[in-house]
Amino acid sequence: MSALLHQLPSSCQGYAPRPSVPQQGLKGSAPQVQCRPTRILSHRTLAQAVSAPPAAPEKSKGKDKPKQQKSLTPEVAKDLYRDMFLGREFEEMCAQMYYRGKMFGFVHLYSGQEAVSTGVLRAMRPDDYVCSTYRDHVHALSKGVPAKNIMAELFGKKTGICRGQGGSMHMFSAEHNLLGGFAFIGEGIPIGLGAAFGVKYRKESIGLEGSDQVVASFFGDGTCNVGQFYECLNMASLYKLPIIFVVENNLWAIGMNHPRATGPSDPNDTEPHIWKKGPAFGMPGVLVDGMDVQKVREVAVEAVARARAGLGPTLIEAETYRFRGHSLADPDELRRKEEKEHYAARDPIPQLKKAILEGNILTQDELKEIEKDVLAEVDAAVQFAEESPKPDKAQLLENVFADPKGFGIHEDGRYKYQMPGFSSGNSALV
Amino acid sequence: MQALLQFGRNGLRQQAQSKYLSQALRGYASKELTVRDALNSALDEELARDDRVFIMGEEVGEYQGAYKITRGLLQKYGAKRVRDTPITEAGFTGIGAGAAFAGLRPIVEFMTFNFAMQAIDQIINSSAKTLYMSAGTISSPIVFRGPNGAAAGVAAQHSQCYAAWYSHVPGLKVLAPYDAEDCRGLLKAAIRDPDPVVFLENEILYGSAFPVDDTILGKDFTLPIGKAKVQREGKDITLVGFGKMVGYNLEAAKELEKEGVSAEVINVRTLKPLDRETIVNSVRKTHRVVCVEEGWPQSGFTAEIVATVNEECFDDLDAPPERVTGAEVPMPYAANLEAAALPQVKDVIRVAKRCLGR
């Protein structure tokens, strides 16, 4: 198990900006690696994306950067940096705790993809909805769920956001409109769409004027081959629902490389482009550099505004990469070192740091202060989780039904839940 | 990575060689085979035996199987017979069902049977009913296999036992192996069978090793579908179970023996068609029965056993038939609650004693 740690790209351990790997050199050393060319499309407006899909990928990353990006305000920069840094540190701490046996089962970490969660969710309102997958810790953090309650959930403790009943893949928080972490591929898409339907219904059928929330629905490249994805694109467009579909294309569905699983959307294409499926369903499709939080944020702001204005859904494909295996149980044998290095060089956290310092938005000291604060928060989360009590045994039979009469009637005529000791819980039938 | 692939390709042979070597050094010690290697060797032999047989599913090829059950098969039989699919349970299960109608013998691997819920329509409506609907003209020789039931710490959506669901359906055969012998004999029989077979493995058992002999390792070793096995003989009480619960029942029997109770353990092996005779004969002998399953109690598999016993040998019973089942809750994540939600050996012992009036 500890061998896994050594396989990690070194960027997972520190945040010093690394020199980018030149595309040429990468191709020269390993021609069979299927690295996607870096495409920067966030400068296209959504309207443009619908009417005129980008013709050719832009090879050079540096070319359009200076003129395209608006500078961040110090407040926003602080918020984005803090959220991404927290996401990374939280997940790296999870890995440590998993290897120490503090958490168990399947734990899927988000390291490397932070720009997507932060870029989208920190551009939304607290009352907007989010629907996630089994890789859900960082979405929950970005949505504002306290780190300590997520950590306690992972430790299987009573103080976890789901009192230890959900675990890593099933983070829910009604308070934060976090609709859940769903473990099945594509399962969350109709759930998120249902929430969007509810928002529109409350406004149009019940007449609640303030009902203008937007749903962010996250899922991966592998999910885009599941039927529910297509059924939901159709219905989102048909009903013009306030939702943004965010595809976190990290190139790998466990060990299945994206081009091995997905066919092209255009006869002239030689590789798959998920964003092109948007226009086919009558909604904008946008490809964005998912390793650049500012670009993700720019696209998200526009898509959320469209949705809130009643103009319907948007499909966003964020090109990203996970720095670790599919889960902590994945030996990660199929992804090539060159590919990992290519994306490690585009680590979103040092990228943002560099942009903040170069743009004189925050000082080195201010960033250090944020980092110190986050590290303390993560340590406190571990301590909180460690010190929290396990769930009571009585909890076993709670929450199965909203109305405990659902357990049925006992032989003596009383409801079963009224029997003494009913909730003490035992696997043997009583 | 090259080294790892190398291991994948030659791993089995190397392992087998070193096993034989260590056995030679140890003298006459019996051979052992893990459940994982038993399943792998059964797949390997059947792929070699019949070129209509192919395996498809998520991560069965390049990844060598999510649980490494298909390790080395891609290298041996190529990508056309060991086929990686996208994450489309309904899609690839449907393709498998259609291929079976067209005369092939697909083996569809589900990463876990929990995911097979997304393909339940293809398993039941397409595979199980077609022979009947087509008046016997279109058969569906297909195997659906993968881990079923609770693993450890994977919570509600990954920890469900589907034994009762599938064994409810006419047209399906449902097998649940316990040890290496079961895995080899039943999987090979399933692949050769002309009907759709649901093959319920258990993730926790994959790494467990069991003794095997030359008969079990033989290329043509199969076990009859529809026949239970008396795993341990006894005279005071019958413990009935399948899969991992057979192991629990054996442990419970060992403990009960210390207290002078002789328990008979029945490994059901085939859940559908159910070998009622073996179970009933055992209860006629012991007059008491405890049925154990990890699944939920209502309409559960053990409910069927209890009904069978009541219908066929009620007068032979000295005590009401008992059940030990999973608690009727979605599987909680926290380790203490998870343990409380699943049958444990101590539960089997406690309920057996209650049944014995002790």
Side-chain angles (χ1 to χ4, degrees), chain B residues 38-43 46 69 107 143 145 175 177 181-193 199 201 222-223:
Chain B
L39 293 167
N40 179 277
S41 60
L43 290 171
E46 295 307 303
I69 304 300
I107 302 164
V143 177
R145 52 157 291 272
L175 311 182
E181 176 188 343
D182 290 2
C183 285
R184 275 187 57 76
L186 292 174
L187 183 54
K188 286 161 73 74
I191 296 167
R192 296 180 192 191
D193 197 86
F199 195 85
E201 298 159 13
T222 59
L223 287 169

Side-chain angles (χ1 to χ4, degrees), chain A residues 154 187 225 255 330 333 427, chain B residues 1 59 63 88 157 325 333 347:
Chain A
L154 293 163
E187 186 188 1
N225 298 316
D330 175 14
E333 289 162 353
S427 61
Chain B
M1 180 156 132
E59 310 294 359
Y63 199 82
T88 54
Q157 292 195 330
T325 72
Y333 166 74
D347 298 320

